[in-house]
Amino acid sequence: RSSDFEPSTNFNLPPFTTDVASRDRAKYNLHSNGDDVSDQTPTLTIDKTWDGEAIPEEERATVSLRATVDHLEISVVSPYYGDAQPDRPPGATWSLWEYEVVELFIAGPQDDYLELELGPHRHHLVLQLSGVRNIVERGLRLDYTARVSGSQWRGLALVPWSYLPDGPFRVNAFAMHGE
């Protein structure tokens, strides 16, 4: 399933208010405006299947992004389908795409992009890539937590700015479950 954002959609992170070195502001297309973190939270809604069919509202997932001084905060809310979980402890997990997962892609203006895979049982995968499927770094550490509550799961990831490519960014998100 895919979000309603096309891969080429430009995405400027919301401004935040705590001062950051001008080098970092330029790199990530951010700017400071005074006092506190912005309450703007861009949200991607995953509302279509891979072939463009509409997904019923109760089956949609959302991915929200919020810029802070130290990281990009990513919040996931998704239906929980009860698929088998990886047979390893929570944390960085290779082949996570074979399980129930929400994926977020954050691309810069060149060929560099970050792929984040977040699962309902606190498993995650972070890949830095340059060019199509050309992995530069894999298994990067991530501050990530998730919990399942009934028929829904929520996740929260704190992504260090150093993981992201140079901005401005283009984003896309997918949710996968089942066999």
Side-chain angles (χ1 to χ4, degrees), residues 30-68:
L30 300 171
H31 63 277
S32 175
N33 66 1
D35 298 320
D36 201 354
V37 174
S38 171
D39 61 358
Q40 297 178 26
T41 306
T43 299
L44 290 81
T45 300
I46 302 170
D47 63 357
K48 294 179 180 63
T49 61
W50 63 272
D51 59 356
E53 294 295 319
I55 296 172
E57 193 164 333
E58 66 275 6
E59 294 182 26
R60 295 177 182 177
T62 59
V63 179
S64 299
L65 305 136
R66 189 173 73 102
T68 71

Side-chain angles (χ1 to χ4, degrees), residues 23-178:
R23 168 185 60 80
D24 291 336
R25 284 197 303 268
K27 180 176 180 181
Y28 299 113
N29 200 27
L30 300 171
H31 63 277
S32 175
N33 66 1
D35 298 320
D36 201 354
V37 174
S38 171
D39 61 358
Q40 297 178 26
T41 306
T43 299
L44 290 81
T45 300
I46 302 170
D47 63 357
K48 294 179 180 63
T49 61
W50 63 272
D51 59 356
E53 294 295 319
I55 296 172
E57 193 164 333
E58 66 275 6
E59 294 182 26
R60 295 177 182 177
T62 59
V63 179
S64 299
L65 305 136
R66 189 173 73 102
T68 71
V69 174
D70 299 320
H71 54 259
L72 177 62
E73 182 179 289
I74 300 172
S75 300
V76 173
V77 178
S78 180
Y80 178 63
Y81 295 95
D83 293 0
Q85 62 181 305
D87 61 355
R88 55 190 62 93
T93 304
W94 185 249
S95 299
L96 191 57
W97 57 85
E98 295 175 358
Y99 300 90
E100 186 170 346
V101 69
V102 170
E103 297 183 348
L104 176 67
F105 296 83
I106 303 173
Q110 305 301 315
D111 290 336
D112 298 333
Y113 63 100
L114 182 72
E115 178 178 338
L116 293 141
E117 299 184 16
L118 306 172
H121 304 288
R122 299 186 337 231
H123 297 87
H124 60 80
L125 179 62
V126 181
L127 303 171
Q128 288 177 322
L129 299 101
S130 184
V132 179
R133 297 188 180 127
N134 181 30
I135 298 171
V136 176
E137 288 284 335
R138 77 179 223 187
L140 295 165
R141 291 180 44 104
L142 185 64
D143 185 358
Y144 176 64
T145 188
R147 68 177 166 81
V148 175
S149 178
S151 63
Q152 186 179 74
W153 69 273
R154 295 175 179 270
L156 177 66
L158 307 179
V159 180
W161 289 114
S162 61
Y163 289 6
L164 275 71
D166 290 341
F169 304 107
R170 296 169 292 143
V171 299
N172 204 356
F174 299 89
M176 295 181 284
H177 67 90

